[in-house]
Amino acid sequence: MSLSRRQIAADILDAHTRAQQARAYAAMPAAGPVSEPLALGASAVDHCLDGGLACGGLHEVRAELARDIGAAAGFALGLAGRAIQADRGGRRGIVWISDPAARIDGGGLFPAGLAQHGLDPESLTLVEPHDLQGAMWAADEAAGCAGLAALIFQIKGNPARFDITATRRLMLRARDSGVLALVLRQSGGEEASAAATRWHVSTDLSGADEIFERGVGAMRLSLTLERNRTGRTGRWSLAWNPRTRTFDHAAPHPNPSAHPLDRLPESFDRQDPPGAMGQVLDRRQDFGRAS
Amino acid sequence: MDAHPDAPPVVVTDTLKNALRIVALDQRARARGVRLGQSLSDARALAPDLDCHPADDAADRALLLTIAAWCERYTPLVALDAASGRDHGLFMDLTGCAHLLGGEAALVADLEARLGAQGFHVRLCLADTPGAAWAMARYGQARIIPEGAHGEAVLPLSLSGLRLEPALVVSLGRVGLKTIGCIAALPRAPLAARFGARLMQRLDQALGREAEAISPLMPVAELSTERRFAEPIARQEDISQVIAALSAGIIEPLERRGLGLRRCRVRLFRVDGHVSALEVQTARPLRDARMIARLFAERIAGLHDDLDMGFGFDLIRLDVAHADPFEGAQAEMMAGNAGGHGHDALVDRLGARLGLERVQRFVLADTHIPERSFGREPVARLASHPGARRAASGAAALALLPDLPTPDAIITRPLILFDRPELMQTIAEVPDGPPLRFRWRGASYEVARSEGPERIACEWWRDGRGARTRDYFRVEDRQGYRFWLFRHGLYGRETSEPAWYMHGLFA
């Protein structure tokens, strides 16, 4: 009896000290070089973020469907490209760490595509550990490396091991070192994490080309800021300009959506959106029967 | 091997001349009258309880290599004796090493005792020439032939001691030449004319008239430092501490030579003869003991299964396998370069822990086939000097991708490429046009916009005459997903039913 009581007392004391430590840490200014926020280039987004993304910190980029990985990777690489361009004190290079599970159906980066996206393929260091634990270790190491511009950690789904403790550790290390740490979550749901912002990226119809009517236009993505520590969230449609390496607001489509039923309504203006009703299924006609 | 006193005699058999014959046997078998080369049925008649095993050359060789690795505790120059075939042997060049262990006699005694403790019976001889040592170890009794005495010492030994073909030994025996001394006294020219120059070469090698080099298994380290323990150590902290101390010791000689370490190996000699090796590489010449020790700590932490300590290690050695001129002392002073150093140190740490081949960079290849146009090379294997590599391959990248700074920023290549193109079902309006609908990974898509084809011809010099052309299309479906897909084969000319493949995803 007395033992368990002592145990409880110790637990309470432990919780107290931890809370104190957390408060002290929160009050402490970031040890690393206090850097300018990383502006995206699109005025409304930057305004919502009070000037831009916090450079030393963790941000999550989420793609709900596997086929959205292209748009999500494009957004994450755009942010990383901007971090390189900002050239904060001789930082160079992007480290791309991928969880082996994400590699199975996610494909790999294509250097020619990277170059057209406005990134030097040489600036990327690819790390492919043989399991998630190794990948998390590598992400921790990279987040703490002050010589690095950006870190992209690609994971698939919501593995239990990459929990709030792991994200908090990443967040703190990135805050101290000033690295822009991005978690690229492929086919993953919303999850509580220590990230400063969480973005839900999906693809958007490209604008028509003036020269070629039926042609495919430049990349355009629909971006939802689902969570923001500083409070405000929002939803935008952005285009990436690889030449200037900026995100611009996309011109509105003449025909907003050809299939309005294909997307579930998203409540983007609240921190805790209600869950989608039922399970999300591919509701399009079966191709074989339709033809 | 020593076994239980009541254990049956052990022999190893192999098929020779259409019969199972004895190729190796132990002392007990010899005592029962079993002889080498005897057929197994004869041997069974002599010793019915014979414990016989089939010969396994691969296992023998693996064991010999393990012993060779262990023997590197005495000298870095250990070589397999290639000439002796199944009669396994090792050469060790002990020049300049004996004094480290208290002289030749002490070294030989130590080697014999340690191998004996591991369960091996060894026959060994230390002599001035490899040939004399070989002959004496097999056909003589002496353990050590004193300096300069090898000429006389080998004379009474059998001619087989000259590492000759068995047939040659037999034909020499027919003319009454049985010992090395017999032919050493004879005139050389007639002997060489009748029995070949090889005989004279082997004789000269044994007597030291002709130099003979052995080819060591491992390259000799540029610098090496080691620590021996009277009591084996088996705790990971102890090992890390020893590696840290050894790294600190290697710095001063590196400084004296103006070198920085690029590749470094630690070898842990277990008391039972097993040798574990750990290797780390660095992206730029390194001369910081703490960093070296940290890399090894990562390497140990990243081992798939823990380091098997067994009964502990009694010798730990650190070798500098490769070192480059160190020009960092002044570069570090310049502000702004600190970032680059941090980045390289990170790459070193990741490589040490996860394996060097798991930290990669893109390299470009000179081909238009998308999946062949690039490769992923371990950073550690790329050119040694980072600046030079970046400059060279950066130029290559620009040459290969002329549309990097396109004025109108047309994107023609996807960001994500699948390692292997995925087959899909499609419906196209016209046989050589873009698809109207397609089905990929279980979902169907309707094409809203498309561009193409971009024709990429096959590489007939690589894939052969029947290889097909690919027509690539960029398509966007009604939801805005942008895909890169291709039709494999020209309709009508190359195939009547071209297959469609999904190859990439645009941003």
Side-chain angles (χ1 to χ4, degrees), chain B residues 31-47:
Chain B
R32 302 273 287 272
V34 179
R35 292 284 170 263
L36 270 184
Q38 212 169 24
S39 71
L40 181 60
S41 40
D42 291 352
R44 278 236 194 273
L46 287 166

Side-chain angles (χ1 to χ4, degrees), chain A residues 67-68 105 108 110 115-116 124 126 128 130 137 141 203-204 206 213-214 216 220 243 262 282, chain B residues 304 349 358 360-361 376 403-404 407 412-413 415 417 441 443 445 449 451 476 479-482:
Chain A
R67 63 192 92 139
D68 277 319
D105 61 351
F110 187 29
Q116 288 184 347
L124 246 80
L126 308 157
E128 286 192 355
H130 63 89
W137 174 85
E141 282 291 307
T203 188
D204 201 356
S206 65
E213 183 70 21
R214 258 179 68 88
V216 182
R220 197 184 269 201
R243 254 185 315 153
D262 275 349
D282 200 349
Chain B
H304 286 277
R349 278 204 304 280
R358 291 189 178 273
Q360 305 163 328
R361 237 170 237 162
R376 301 166 58 143
D403 43 1
L404 177 57
T412 56
R413 291 286 179 272
L415 206 53
L417 190 79
R441 287 190 183 173
Y445 301 85
R449 301 165 175 281
E451 278 180 22
E476 184 177 286
Q479 294 190 340
Y481 291 107
R482 289 170 281 274

